[in-house]
Amino acid sequence: MGLRLSLFALLLLLSCSTPLLLTNGYPAHNSPFRHYHHPRFASHNYRDALTKSIIFFEGQRSGKLPSNQRMTWRRDSGLSDGSAMNVDLVGGYYDAGDNVKFGFPMAFTTTMLSWSVIEFGGLMNGELENAKEAIRWGTDYLLKATAHPDTIYVQVGDANKDHSCWERPEDMDTPRSVFKIDKNNPGSEVAAETAAALAAASLVFRRSDPTYSKLLARRAMRVFEFADKYRGAYSNDLKPYVCPFYCDFSGYQDELLWGAAWLHRATKNPTYLNYIQVNGQILGAAEYDNTFGWDNKHVGARILLSKAFLVQKVQSLHDYKGHADNFICSLIPGVPSSSAQYTPGGLLFKMSDSNMQYVTSTSFLLLTYSKYLTSSHNVVVCGGTTVTPKRLRAVAKRQVDYLLGDNPLRMSYMVGYGPRYPRRIHHRGSSLPSVAAHPAKIQCSAGFSFMKSESPNPNILLGAVIGGPDLHDRFPDERSDYEQSEPATYINAPLVGSLAYLAHSFGQL
């Protein structure tokens, strides 16, 4: 099942958990950071985790697999995608544990992989090329999806019918329906996120493949113009197909600001700076929210735009330093304005459904903002408390270390990393015998016997980070529990940058 924001779950979480919290966001009975310190030596092999976090994307590939495919239990799939509308939509990524290609989270994944490389690619050494391959697999598809002007193909596959089967992508026989947005059926959030992905990726390939970089930048500009000109939410017209999987809850304003921020950074065209100056407040630049993920990009836009002020001295964007600081102050344990919630073991906890996506995205923002602050000799002031870049790095490291095994269960939430990790993840291809092991087709409903089995998954989806533990640090490792046991591309994408930074800072790269 595709991961999604559950408003009901969020309300339930708030109603259940608020009495347990003190104002600093700690559970009343236990400070989550009390038992941990930061030794000078690395407690984890961040380089190994980095390698695996990138290999994971090969397990999510759709289309014709290349000869250098490392996740060898996968085979070609979806080779006629797009034919229902006479377009070529072969390629791209399956978002999570199912066989649907959702354009909204795929674009966000591509943006965050690109941002990881833009900020920390210089530290990646041998993994840089692998990270760029993962990005190109996304952008090649997004170029196909945006080939026709004022049209974006935003989904391949009928999610409801796909979810009624448990079958390998190589076997799937559910409808590969194609869904699009256009002038008459707009989708500003998907279009602007796609523009952000193309713009960010254009920076990644600027030196190594300037022709491809220019193609990405030109397409990003065209797609953003479409997003802004024909405004509307894609989950209005496509509601039966995209909801509840990737319904747009936060509106499309955050994506317009985010897309403009990326185009400003990628093109240096004054049009985008002017757009941000004129529209920033209307698009929610100063809204008080601190959740960053596939649905809400406000915080990411604030951090991104703060660089233009802090490092490039674009004075007209000075407000974004304040907006970014507000986000930081809401997050850091122990400061007066902290409103973030942490588990007893110290994990940032936002939502019961795929919480780890917020852990990886927030950790990346902390490390990225600490980089901007360091280079501009700045700090964050939260009330009377000064928060240094070093403190931001320590909080981010603590979150990544928890993910890799420094937690009450001593469980790594990255498949294949460490001695103990989830064995029954909610993922069709991983849980069913591979084509090599079982060449005969496994029919739609026949796969459910494997899904319900207690046996470990036969195929290791190396590097996959799953939804993670609950508010009390518990994790049952049950395949049917998609909220906690399903991996997703957008959980891994920001983690790539954080792991590169940590591997380098401990001399592992």
Side-chain angles (χ1 to χ4, degrees):
M1 178 176 278
L3 303 176
R4 61 202 182 281
L5 286 170
S6 167
L7 294 179
F8 174 74
L10 179 60
L11 291 169
L12 191 66
L13 183 65
L14 290 171
S15 65
C16 295
S17 58
T18 305
L20 296 174
L21 296 179
L22 298 176
T23 54
N24 63 6
Y26 293 144
H29 60 277
N30 189 9
S31 158
F33 297 86
R34 191 173 64 187
H35 306 300
Y36 298 93
H37 61 287
H38 297 297
R40 291 189 175 273
F41 61 89
S43 50
H44 287 285
N45 186 338
Y46 301 112
R47 181 176 185 164
D48 179 51
L50 172 64
T51 299
K52 288 169 177 169
S53 71
I54 298 170
I55 287 177
F56 157 74
F57 289 94
E58 297 189 13
Q60 297 302 110
R61 283 172 169 171
S62 181
K64 180 79 180 163
L65 300 185
S67 57
N68 63 353
Q69 168 84 8
R70 294 177 292 173
M71 197 83 80
T72 52
W73 52 266
R74 283 294 323 282
R75 293 286 188 275
D76 299 346
S77 62
L79 296 180
S80 60
D81 280 1
S83 59
M85 278 199 181
N86 297 313
V87 288
D88 174 10
L89 294 174
V90 176
Y93 289 113
Y94 304 116
D95 70 299
D98 51 25
N99 301 324
V100 183
K101 296 194 304 207
F102 294 98
F104 193 24
M106 197 193 308
F108 178 66
T109 294
T110 307
T111 309
M112 292 310 296
L113 269 174
S114 298
W115 200 3
S116 286
V117 168
I118 289 163
E119 298 298 344
F120 303 111
L123 314 178
M124 286 182 183
N125 287 354
E127 289 305 327
L128 178 58
E129 285 310 310
N130 292 323
K132 285 163 76 173
E133 281 298 309
I135 293 165
R136 193 184 282 257
W137 198 267
T139 49
D140 280 352
Y141 178 83
L142 294 176
L143 286 170
K144 291 180 177 185
T146 57
H148 299 140
D150 295 339
T151 302
I152 303 180
Y153 296 96
V154 297
Q155 185 171 319
V156 180
D158 183 321
N160 290 298
K161 289 178 178 168
D162 178 89
H163 287 171
S164 68
C165 291
W166 193 266
E167 58 188 353
R168 305 177 293 203
E170 295 84 359
D171 285 341
M172 62 184 167
D173 47 16
T174 52
R176 300 302 284 170
S177 310
V178 177
F179 303 97
K180 67 174 181 174
I181 56 172
D182 55 28
K183 293 178 186 178
N184 300 318
N185 305 286
S188 297
E189 67 286 88
V190 192
E193 183 60 64
T194 302
L198 296 166
S202 76
L203 289 165
V204 170
F205 295 104
R206 181 164 284 173
R207 287 185 184 166
S208 60
D209 193 341
T211 306
Y212 190 63
S213 173
K214 284 172 189 159
L215 171 64
L216 294 170
R218 281 197 306 270
R219 187 66 58 82
M221 290 189 279
R222 190 180 88 191
V223 170
F224 183 78
E225 186 181 358
F226 165 68
D228 190 44
K229 187 174 179 181
Y230 303 100
R231 291 195 182 187
Y234 91 131
S235 47
N236 290 347
D237 290 303
L238 295 178
K239 190 170 186 176
Y241 311 105
V242 303
C243 298
F245 317 104
Y246 292 101
C247 244
D248 174 24
F249 290 107
S250 70
Y252 56 77
Q253 291 81 2
D254 52 308
E255 278 84 17
L256 288 174
L257 183 62
W258 172 244
W262 274 112
L263 277 158
H264 166 62
R265 182 151 174 183
T267 68
K268 302 291 186 282
N269 186 321
T271 306
Y272 298 108
L273 179 59
N274 183 61
Y275 180 93
I276 292 158
Q277 290 164 342
V278 171
N279 296 291
Q281 296 306 310
I282 307 161
L283 298 177
E287 274 184 27
Y288 189 82
D289 51 19
N290 66 355
T291 300
F292 179 55
W294 61 261
D295 185 37
N296 193 336
K297 322 292 161 49
H298 275 135
V299 176
R302 284 172 210 146
I303 299 285
L304 187 64
L305 289 169
S306 71
K307 184 190 182 188
F309 167 67
L310 287 167
V311 182
Q312 281 121 13
K313 310 299 182 195
V314 181
Q315 294 302 319
S316 63
L317 296 178
H318 68 90
D319 284 355
Y320 287 90
K321 163 77 162 70
H323 299 329
D325 287 356
N326 288 339
F327 161 63
I328 298 297
C329 295
S330 76
L331 205 67
I332 301 297
V335 305
S337 52
S338 177
S339 58
Q341 187 172 11
Y342 292 85
T343 69
L347 185 70
L348 175 68
F349 197 86
K350 286 276 179 192
M351 223 163 281
S352 58
D353 190 345
S354 183
N355 179 63
M356 207 58 90
Q357 67 177 299
Y358 305 109
V359 175
T360 59
S361 61
T362 303
S363 300
F364 175 83
L365 292 183
L366 288 170
L367 291 174
T368 299
Y369 198 47
S370 78
K371 181 183 167 184
Y372 301 163
L373 291 169
T374 300
S375 60
S376 61
H377 307 289
N378 264 284
V379 294
V380 177
V381 178
C382 303
T385 307
T386 299
V387 180
T388 62
K390 184 179 179 182
R391 180 82 194 279
L392 300 192
R393 293 192 291 269
V395 173
K397 178 182 180 294
R398 172 74 195 93
Q399 294 303 304
V400 174
D401 287 349
Y402 182 109
L403 186 157
L404 294 177
D406 290 2
N407 55 60
L409 295 181
R410 295 287 173 252
M411 157 98 59
S412 158
Y413 291 102
M414 176 186 283
V415 173
Y417 177 85
R420 189 169 182 226
Y421 55 83
R423 305 284 175 165
R424 286 172 285 277
I425 67 170
H426 182 95
H427 188 277
R428 286 156 177 75
S430 172
S431 68
L432 292 160
S434 68
V435 174
H438 188 290
K441 178 171 175 156
I442 300 170
Q443 299 290 343
C444 165
S445 55
F448 282 106
S449 62
F450 294 94
M451 198 273 264
K452 293 168 184 169
S453 153
E454 290 294 309
S455 303
N457 288 10
N459 308 308
I460 303 295
L461 188 62
L462 200 63
V465 180
I466 53 155
D470 68 10
L471 180 58
H472 306 286
D473 300 299
R474 295 174 303 208
F475 177 74
D477 196 12
E478 290 172 359
R479 200 173 290 115
S480 59
D481 181 3
Y482 63 86
E483 292 193 343
Q484 290 184 253
S485 293
E486 190 168 20
T489 54
Y490 45 83
I491 303 179
N492 273 61
L495 184 62
V496 169
S498 300
L499 290 170
Y501 169 79
L502 289 167
H504 179 263
S505 63
F506 282 95
Q508 297 172 358
L509 281 171

